[in-house]
Amino acid sequence: MTAGSASPRAPSARERARWRHNFFDEAYSANLYAELGKLEPDSPVGEGLQKLAAAERAQAQLWAERLPEAERPAAVGLRPGGRFFLWLARRFGVRTVAPALAANELRHMAAYLVEPEGADLAGAEWRVARQAWALTSARRTRAAAEAREPEHGRRNAQSGSLRAAVFGVNDGLVSNLSLIMGVAGAAPPNTFILLAGLAGLVAGSFSMAGGEFISMLSQRELFERQIEIERSHIRLAPASAQASLASRYVEKGLAVVEAEQVAIQLMANPEHALDTIVREELGLDPDELGSPVGAARASFGSFAVGGLVPLVPFIFLSGWSAVIVSAVLSALALFLVGVGVAFTTGRSFTLSGIRMVAVGAGAAILTFLIGRVVGVNVAG
């Protein structure tokens, strides 16, 4: 040893424990991806999962190499959570669990960003998360394309709003029609039918609104978390973020040198860089992440409108007259709902309308007959 030179500092017990923990996480993920890939061996999804497994193995090896040779872990198996993912994937398909895999990689990335040795690996974790999310469908690619085409995006948003409204009305109509017909089949006094229909309308509307609020809130929180992770990535690992931007522009057709220049210019203003990454990589518009309250209101209103249709005749009529008028009005409303669905699917208006009437009528007739049988048995 040269005089005056210092020997390398030995890693502390806490550092070695952290490195072992990271190794096990990466090795576990590699094994899980490999096992999931075996479920679809000859498909692009299976090939993609095997590539992700290789990337995770490489990262596990990096953590293992930091440890003294005597402390390097042996082979790693699947955790109980991984076996559960495999069980789900076997029964419902690999794409079902891909969002959970992506979320796990995002957690790894967030942890690496605050570790002194992990910043360089944070970008790799993000790439793995992005590829895992892409396995679900072409959703991210399609969303990114729409973000680059504002007019197309507006049309798609309008179509999505129409679709949500149409199905909200359909849910209210079919569920309350079935409830009212089931009660009417037992032939109780008209007041009972009105009370049951009103209770079904109110309970269903609040249930739909609450479910939509939680769903939209969860989605918004996920998007906000992704954006915050990207912000942290830019702040703590700017070189990795710049390389990711440059890679994106190379994919879009720019020469490598031009793509790097664009990435450098964007990184000069972190907020511009963040906006670009969020739109290009995540396919999100930061200004339009969805309103949980607005979605809940729309869901409540559309369900209530649908649920009111079969109930109105019982306000003015009673007995078989009310049942028949309710059935006719509901059939007409179901047909119009089917036409509305055809606007979003491009299929035949008539066929879509008839199909919707058939589904609603089947549910209503079945519940009416059940109510009839139960009413007769109770009365007898």
Side-chain angles (χ1 to χ4, degrees), residues 327-350:
V328 171
L329 281 179
S330 298
L332 178 60
L334 283 166
F335 185 85
L336 293 177
V337 167
V339 171
V341 171
F343 271 109
T344 67
T345 62
R347 293 188 177 274
S348 164
F349 293 152
T350 303

Side-chain angles (χ1 to χ4, degrees), residues 95-156:
R95 290 177 177 83
T96 304
V97 302
L101 301 178
N104 189 54
E105 295 301 331
L106 287 175
R107 284 191 289 272
H108 286 177
M109 176 187 168
Y112 284 167
L113 284 172
V114 298
E115 290 187 13
E117 312 89 353
D120 292 339
L121 292 177
E125 285 298 308
W126 170 241
R127 286 189 290 275
V128 171
R130 186 175 59 198
Q131 292 165 23
W133 180 256
L135 293 175
T136 57
S137 65
R139 174 181 175 185
R140 185 186 63 81
T141 303
R142 184 167 61 249
E146 290 167 0
R148 293 191 293 274
E149 299 177 26
E151 196 59 39
H152 182 196
R154 280 193 292 271
R155 287 198 301 271
N156 188 71

Side-chain angles (χ1 to χ4, degrees), residues 61 79 126 128 191 247 276:
Q61 184 63 25
R79 297 169 179 169
W126 170 241
V128 171
T191 307
S247 174
T276 301

Side-chain angles (χ1 to χ4, degrees), residues 252-324:
K252 294 176 70 174
L254 287 183
V256 174
V257 174
E258 293 175 343
E260 290 176 349
Q261 289 175 345
V262 171
I264 290 171
Q265 291 173 358
L266 285 170
M267 288 298 294
N269 187 324
E271 285 303 313
H272 287 173
L274 176 64
D275 187 77
T276 301
I277 290 174
V278 168
R279 293 175 187 274
E280 296 287 346
E281 301 287 348
L282 304 183
L284 300 176
D285 183 343
D287 299 323
E288 296 183 6
L289 299 182
S291 168
V293 174
R297 282 202 203 102
S299 184
F300 183 97
S302 60
F303 188 97
V305 167
L308 195 59
V309 172
L311 182 61
V312 167
F314 289 91
I315 298 175
F316 305 101
L317 302 170
S318 62
W320 282 104
S321 300
V323 171
I324 293 171

